[in-house]
Amino acid sequence: MGRVVLDHVTKKFDEVVAVDDLSLEIEDREFLVLLGPSGCGKSTALRVIAGLEDPTSGTVTIGDRVVNDVEPKDRDIAMVFQSYALYPHMSVRKNIEFPLRTRHVEPADRQIAVNEAAVALGLVGLLNRKPAQLSGGQRQRVALARAIVRRPAVFLMDEPLSNLDAQLRIQTRAELIELQRNLQTTVVYVTHDQVEAMTMGHRIAIMNDGVLQQVGPPQSVYERPANLFVARFIGNPPMNTMEGRVVDREGVRAVEFEGGCLPLDPAHAAAAEASGAKSLVVGVRPEHLAFSDDGALHAVITVVESLGHERHLICRLTDGQMIIVRQGSDVPRPAEGTAVRLAADPMHLHVFDAVTERRIDPR
Amino acid sequence: MAAELPRPSSAGRTRARHLTGLAARYLLLTVLAIIVIFPLYITIVNSLLTPGQIAARPPKFFPLHPQWDTYSRAWDVGHMSRYLVNSAIVTAFITVGQVVTATLAAYAFAFLEFPFKRTLFVVFLATLMVPFEVTIITNLTTVTSLGWYDSYQGLAVPFLATGFGAFLLRQAFLQVPRDLQDAAELDGYGHWRFMLRVAVPLARPAMAALSVFAFLGAWNQYLWPLLVTKDDRYRTVQIGLKQLRATSIDQVNVTFAGVMIAALPLVILLLFFQKQLVRGLTAGAVKG
Amino acid sequence: MSTIDGGATLGETRSSAVVGVEEPKRPPRSRRRMREIGLAYLLLLPSLVIFGVFIFYPFLRNFYLGFYRTPPFPGLPMRYVGFDQYRDVLTSTDFLDSVKTTVLFMIMTVPAGIALGLGLAVLAHQRLKGIGVYRTIFSSTVATSVAVASVIFGTLFNPVVGLLPWLGVNPRPPILDNPQWALPAVALVTIWQTLGLTFILMSSGLQAIPDEIHEAARVDGAGAGTRFWKITIPLLSPTIFFAVVIGGIFAFQTFGQIDLLTQGGPLKKTNVLTYFVYRTLRTENNDGKAAVLAVALFTITMTLTLVQMRFLERRVHYGR
């Protein structure tokens, strides 16, 4: 059983709080991604699960038992490190075999397990090499093989792809998803890369400053970010956000800010008013902005970034604020310097309380 | 043997067991620390006792009435002041000399192209394989015939160049980015200016390491100063200790005070330049 | 020469294009090149002069001196004796005993010194509050010289005022005059004096091993003992190897401890090779014999180092 539960876990290093009252349930066979900027506490949380750090308070449960007092080796986990942490003086075979040796598995069984892992990860021809003789991608596979050879209940992975080049990263990403599906094992995966999080996780847990911000399936986190941090962290190019207050414009409720004004639908406006927020932040993703003759935002296109399959139009509002519009490459490329009017899809507006930074949902 | 763990993690233990383990570690460390430091500690204590107190049984482990005048006696009557000055002069001479010659040579090996470069580099490395002890016979003759017996030159000149230092600084110079050389050339820097304004400042950690290494080696020399000095006016502090011990045979406390005076410069060096010292001492190990 | 000459430098191409006629072939920038070569030799000169006069010349002259017997009284001429002197000195009991003593001394100091330094380094390589104090103490003996250590211990060993006799270690004759105990006593002083250096060396070796390797081993189920023997020791092997080689070289250069503590005695039981050279040179004024001993000292040190490299280095893992 690979269920992992963190219950009010706090980890302090002297006076620095790395993980702040983290409660999180990871289901058996779930692929959970811990996502956040560097220093947000995600790696510390992972190390607490591994038993490499003791929580200052709170409990960690793996399977059915509380493991606070259990050594890492007895937690039925395996870990893949960012640097792979291969034993440089041992051959690939010895590396993969190491966790079995320490557990006094019979040589014959070890042999079988190592060969299976080597086949699964395409390492058969490399078993007698030393780690230094391998490419980055091969090392990464050895680290994975060493982790799967024991068939642990839970895999912990700390930025395992960050040392690979871009192309290999995409390939390995897909392979990891497949591997997890085949092994039917729980995976807790730490990354700062939102693309990895979006593509790999069944759910993602976003952390900032040691505090859990939101947990949920990738798509719902993208569509309904719980707060401003998540809204700005997830999505590339990032969500456009503008701070302003609710005003009445010709009978329509709208959020007015220095560079313009965006109308709200009545349900959203009502919710915003009911929340008592003095000031609001409206967010709109680049793909939900479009040219429109009666658009509420006046802007000038300053730079057109063409990515081949799509374009990013960097525009400036009248007050100079930058706003990004995503556009398919099937429409004609607009000229830089063109003055345009932009409209936002009201169904895809995100509204946040500017003070608490929390999301306000329409009623 | 949980010692090589980088973190004192206590997973798998109850809090009480964790604390017991922690106490055991501190106890072990403290006992070992006392054993290691004891000879130095007892030296300080004995330097502040009277000879009678030193010989007393059971021994005294703390000076209740410290006799500070032992230090002034070692300083004046024991000539420790003279020895210290001599050591300082010779050590400074050697340290500066080694850093300068090594910098020049390393610059040539790192930045210049010239015939027989490889051969000459091998010659530099070959000096590391000849222990100084092997050369004393002829060196004594040479120094004597130059009229350098009992002189600062005699003590220092044989050590003014270092193959190890040249090697160390060459490694540091090779780390200077190629772009910087190109940029300096475009700016019209000649080799001397590039050496002094760019290469040397960038190699400062290695130069500091070499300086400390050279200082330590020069300060601790024993065999060579013993061979080429007879006159108190040129004796270095290490040989001076031998002399002091011989002359104050009935005043062990003065000998101990002399030991402290001899050790103090290195203690100060260790306290202020710990990082450079470690780098200097371990620089040899990285060659692999 | 055409303007599109693949091998020519930019400057050269341009000048020949302007002149438009063939120029005599001349290495490009030759004057600059000469100046660079001149500068290089100038920079190497100070070092080379010192090396030549004080290392290579005296080193090579040893071989030559060995062929001549030094006369018993100064003023008489040196006498050429070919290899006779080499044979006499190298087969003498004094020499063979001296080599034996030096090897014995090496065996007493090197393994024990490394084991202690490594042990302390491992103990001090923990994240504990105040560990810096312990590290400073363990490395403190680098601040001592051989002379300082010898004078301190000489007094500690003293049968009248020394603490060691008071603790009950009081053989007769006294330690430093005791044929059985003198060499171990000098070895002890040496181990203590070099402990700080060994500790620093081992500590920096330990610090070079990434934390993640130890953590991976913990997750992989290795206990403290397994981690020490299967991870720490193999990964530290280059440092240990270096310490062994340097320790061997140091042992053959041992001098100050002997001069200050035992003067080669009792019964020449501490007459290590370097001290033997010194005595021959200083007391006997016998340059020829000393030169033979110096040649032997060099050859043994060199052989020892090469043998260690040949047989020990194979077990060393360099992380490649």
Side-chain angles (χ1 to χ4, degrees):
Chain A
M1 275 294 289
R3 191 165 151 269
V4 178
V5 182
L6 299 176
D7 189 18
H8 295 288
V9 167
T10 295
K11 175 67 190 177
K12 290 184 192 170
F13 292 105
D14 295 322
E15 286 315 300
V16 182
V17 183
V19 175
D20 192 357
D21 196 29
L22 173 64
S23 292
L24 186 60
E25 268 192 62
I26 302 153
E27 295 304 320
D28 187 26
R29 297 171 197 189
E30 179 175 4
F31 197 125
L32 181 110
V33 177
L34 272 174
L35 174 69
S38 62
C40 74
K42 57 191 192 301
S43 283
T44 307
L46 193 76
R47 294 168 60 85
V48 167
I49 299 175
L52 295 169
E53 306 284 359
D54 291 335
T56 312
S57 63
T59 58
V60 181
T61 310
I62 298 178
D64 302 322
R65 55 180 182 154
V66 174
V67 292
N68 283 41
D69 284 341
V70 178
E71 285 281 350
K73 64 188 172 82
D74 301 322
R75 291 191 177 197
D76 203 11
I77 50 159
M79 189 157 168
V80 178
F81 292 84
Q82 181 172 7
S83 66
Y84 315 140
L86 300 181
Y87 309 120
H89 56 300
M90 298 182 191
S91 65
V92 169
R93 174 186 295 284
K94 287 267 168 63
N95 261 285
I96 302 175
E97 209 179 23
F98 190 77
L100 302 176
R101 265 172 184 273
T102 59
R103 287 178 172 74
H104 309 292
V105 175
E106 291 298 316
D109 297 339
R110 280 199 319 240
Q111 191 82 16
I112 294 169
V114 169
N115 287 343
E116 274 178 15
V119 169
L121 288 156
L123 292 168
V124 176
L126 306 172
L127 283 175
N128 292 323
R129 298 225 190 138
K130 291 272 181 72
Q133 299 167 307
L134 303 178
S135 71
Q138 289 168 335
R139 281 182 216 177
Q140 209 269 345
R141 283 157 189 280
V142 177
L144 280 174
R146 190 174 69 185
I148 67 168
V149 71
R150 229 173 62 219
R151 309 233 158 241
V154 182
F155 275 132
L156 306 176
M157 304 194 182
D158 191 358
E159 309 241 8
L161 304 186
S162 62
N163 285 341
L164 299 179
D165 63 51
Q167 205 178 354
L168 205 52
R169 205 178 304 166
I170 293 169
Q171 185 191 334
T172 316
R173 215 159 66 196
E175 285 170 357
L176 271 179
I177 294 169
E178 239 178 305
L179 190 72
Q180 193 262 347
R181 208 174 287 149
N182 293 340
L183 294 172
Q184 291 285 312
T185 314
T186 312
V187 172
V188 186
Y189 186 105
V190 163
T191 185
H192 66 272
D193 182 322
Q194 50 161 313
V195 179
E196 281 175 29
M198 295 295 287
T199 52
M200 299 172 83
H202 298 158
R203 287 191 302 158
I204 45 186
I206 297 151
M207 291 183 70
N208 186 36
D209 280 340
V211 179
L212 182 64
Q213 305 288 318
Q214 186 173 8
V215 192
Q219 197 60 34
S220 76
V221 171
Y222 185 80
E223 286 169 358
R224 298 190 61 243
N227 58 37
L228 258 181
F229 174 80
V230 176
R232 285 173 176 151
F233 191 73
I234 301 262
N236 187 19
M239 182 187 284
N240 300 298
T241 53
M242 279 105 11
E243 185 172 344
R245 43 184 74 249
V246 182
V247 294
D248 220 29
R249 283 265 295 255
E250 299 151 22
V252 181
R253 310 295 265 167
V255 179
E256 191 184 52
F257 44 91
E258 281 191 26
C261 180
L262 278 175
L264 291 178
D265 73 300
H268 234 138
E273 254 153 45
S275 76
K278 290 224 166 68
S279 178
L280 298 177
V281 173
V282 272
V284 54
R285 295 205 180 272
E287 61 267 37
H288 297 132
L289 283 169
F291 296 144
S292 162
D293 291 340
D294 56 355
L297 297 177
H298 293 262
V300 174
I301 302 173
T302 54
V303 176
V304 178
E305 292 179 345
S306 197
L307 301 177
H309 64 293
E310 65 179 32
R311 274 182 219 118
H312 299 161
L313 313 178
I314 320 290
C315 310
R316 284 196 189 279
L317 298 179
T318 47
D319 65 335
Q321 191 190 343
M322 193 183 279
I323 187 165
I324 302 175
V325 181
R326 177 180 272 164
Q327 190 185 48
S329 53
D330 45 349
V331 295
R333 177 190 169 115
E336 287 164 356
T338 316
V340 292
R341 294 182 74 172
L342 297 169
D345 180 349
M347 296 311 292
H348 287 103
L349 276 189
H350 305 263
V351 179
F352 304 90
D353 183 324
V355 178
T356 64
E357 303 202 340
R358 287 223 187 85
R359 178 183 188 81
I360 298 170
D361 272 319
R363 301 197 146 186
Chain B
M1 272 305 250
E4 78 273 23
L5 300 186
R7 276 163 240 270
S9 175
S10 67
R13 291 178 203 172
T14 63
R15 195 128 214 104
R17 272 169 70 200
H18 173 72
L19 285 176
T20 321
L22 206 61
R25 284 183 211 181
Y26 275 116
L27 186 69
L28 183 61
L29 280 166
T30 306
V31 168
L32 290 167
I34 289 173
I35 294 174
V36 170
I37 204 72
F38 179 77
L40 283 175
Y41 173 75
I42 202 69
T43 303
I44 299 174
V45 172
N46 283 355
S47 72
L48 299 172
L49 296 174
T50 64
Q53 287 172 318
I54 293 174
R57 291 292 173 268
K60 298 203 180 310
F61 292 106
F62 190 81
L64 283 177
H65 308 286
Q67 311 283 312
W68 295 105
D69 66 311
T70 50
Y71 280 85
S72 62
R73 271 194 285 158
W75 188 256
D76 297 327
V77 186
H79 301 299
M80 285 308 284
S81 51
R82 181 76 247 174
Y83 303 146
L84 217 51
V85 169
N86 290 342
S87 271
I89 291 171
V90 173
T91 303
F93 199 174
I94 292 176
T95 307
V96 172
Q98 285 198 3
V99 170
V100 170
T101 58
T103 303
L104 299 180
Y107 187 89
F109 285 124
F111 294 113
L112 302 177
E113 285 305 322
F114 51 94
F116 305 111
K117 184 169 166 178
R118 282 191 65 85
T119 317
L120 284 167
F121 192 59
V122 171
V123 166
F124 269 64
L125 288 185
T127 63
L128 297 176
M129 288 177 221
V130 182
F132 180 76
E133 288 71 12
V134 165
T135 64
I136 54 173
I137 302 152
T138 301
N139 279 342
L140 183 59
T141 318
T142 308
V143 164
T144 312
S145 64
L146 285 169
W148 289 357
Y149 195 89
D150 270 330
S151 78
Y152 293 134
Q153 307 91 285
L155 286 165
V157 171
F159 305 98
L160 290 185
T162 157
F164 166 75
F167 180 80
L168 190 73
L169 294 187
R170 172 182 168 267
Q171 296 299 97
F173 284 158
L174 288 177
Q175 307 296 315
V176 174
R178 180 81 221 177
D179 287 353
L180 273 185
Q181 293 177 50
D182 293 344
E185 193 170 348
L186 289 179
D187 287 343
Y189 273 36
H191 278 296
W192 288 104
R193 255 213 293 176
F194 181 68
M195 183 196 302
L196 295 174
R197 298 265 179 86
V198 183
V200 165
L202 283 176
R204 210 178 289 148
M207 308 209 42
L210 173 62
S211 307
V212 175
F213 191 79
F215 185 99
L216 215 58
W219 187 266
N220 287 341
Q221 272 198 30
Y222 188 86
L223 175 57
W224 184 246
L226 186 68
L227 271 174
V228 296
T229 56
K230 222 169 14 209
D231 190 330
D232 246 4
R233 283 177 303 163
Y234 294 101
R235 275 213 183 95
T236 60
V237 83
Q238 310 295 336
I239 313 304
L241 268 188
K242 182 184 185 182
Q243 189 66 19
L244 179 69
R245 193 182 58 161
T247 53
S248 55
I249 201 102
D250 53 342
Q251 299 174 338
V252 197
N253 51 352
V254 176
T255 309
F256 278 118
V259 166
M260 287 317 297
I261 292 172
L264 211 59
L266 288 196
V267 173
I268 291 167
L269 187 78
L270 179 70
L271 287 180
F272 285 95
F273 296 97
Q274 205 162 9
K275 214 170 72 185
Q276 287 81 356
L277 180 80
V278 171
R279 208 182 286 131
L281 292 178
T282 52
V286 296
K287 284 189 285 184
Chain C
M1 186 188 281
S2 85
T3 48
I4 319 163
D5 185 342
T9 67
L10 190 62
E12 194 184 23
T13 320
R14 198 178 299 141
S15 69
S16 52
V18 170
V19 177
V21 292
E22 294 237 345
E23 280 186 333
K25 248 209 166 127
R26 177 166 62 92
R29 300 170 171 179
S30 75
R31 183 172 295 168
R32 228 177 111 177
R33 193 73 198 96
M34 289 310 291
R35 235 187 287 157
E36 182 173 332
I37 293 170
L39 176 65
Y41 289 139
L42 184 70
L43 295 179
L44 295 179
L45 193 65
S47 294
L48 287 174
V49 168
I50 299 282
F51 290 157
V53 175
F54 293 105
I55 294 182
F56 293 117
Y57 165 65
F59 169 68
L60 294 171
R61 190 156 171 269
N62 281 336
F63 293 90
Y64 160 83
L65 281 175
F67 291 122
Y68 291 85
R69 270 208 218 281
T70 308
F73 304 104
L76 296 176
M78 308 248 287
R79 190 159 58 86
Y80 179 80
V81 292
F83 282 97
D84 284 6
Q85 181 162 248
Y86 280 96
R87 196 193 53 227
D88 292 351
V89 173
L90 298 182
T91 55
S92 67
T93 339
D94 276 356
F95 170 73
L96 294 174
D97 283 350
S98 177
V99 172
K100 216 190 295 170
T101 302
T102 316
V103 171
L104 211 57
F105 184 76
M106 182 176 79
I107 293 169
M108 286 179 192
T109 51
V110 178
I114 290 174
L116 283 174
L118 176 60
L120 291 182
V122 166
L123 276 177
H125 191 61
Q126 324 184 48
R127 275 188 206 165
L128 288 179
K129 278 219 173 75
I131 197 72
V133 176
Y134 293 100
R135 287 202 187 127
T136 306
I137 291 177
F138 293 153
S139 48
S140 63
T141 73
V142 280
T144 65
S145 63
V146 166
V148 163
S150 301
V151 173
I152 292 176
F153 274 82
T155 319
L156 289 177
F157 291 151
N158 184 294
V160 182
V161 299
L163 286 177
L164 212 61
W166 178 70
L167 285 170
V169 186
N170 198 10
R172 241 152 248 281
I175 304 168
L176 293 174
D177 300 324
N178 189 310
Q180 206 184 337
W181 286 101
L183 195 64
V186 178
L188 178 73
V189 179
T190 308
I191 290 172
W192 181 78
Q193 196 258 324
T194 52
L195 188 62
L197 174 60
T198 321
F199 172 79
I200 289 175
L201 204 60
M202 294 295 157
S203 287
S204 54
L206 284 180
Q207 272 156 26
I209 303 175
D211 287 354
E212 286 195 343
I213 300 258
H214 285 300
E215 291 172 355
R218 279 181 75 193
V219 175
D220 284 345
T226 313
R227 289 201 299 274
F228 180 76
W229 290 110
K230 303 276 180 189
I231 310 288
T232 307
I233 291 288
L235 291 182
L236 206 58
S237 57
T239 311
I240 296 173
F241 172 70
F242 176 77
V244 169
V245 172
I246 291 293
I249 293 173
F250 275 4
F252 274 85
Q253 295 172 1
T254 302
F255 176 76
Q257 304 94 303
I258 307 293
D259 185 57
L260 284 160
L261 292 172
T262 61
Q263 287 83 48
L267 305 174
K268 298 188 178 170
K269 286 289 183 195
T270 60
N271 190 30
V272 294
L273 212 40
T274 298
Y275 190 74
F276 193 18
V277 175
Y278 169 80
R279 280 297 279 261
T280 309
L281 182 66
R282 243 309 141 75
T283 326
E284 297 179 28
N285 281 317
N286 193 334
D287 284 18
K289 184 178 167 190
V292 174
L293 290 173
V295 169
L297 175 62
F298 169 76
T299 313
I300 295 173
T301 315
M302 198 70 199
T303 313
L304 181 78
T305 308
L306 291 177
V307 166
Q308 283 171 334
M309 288 193 167
R310 179 89 175 69
F311 290 99
L312 281 183
E313 199 165 24
R314 267 187 285 170
R315 296 159 167 253
V316 169
H317 162 77
Y318 276 122
R320 256 178 281 110

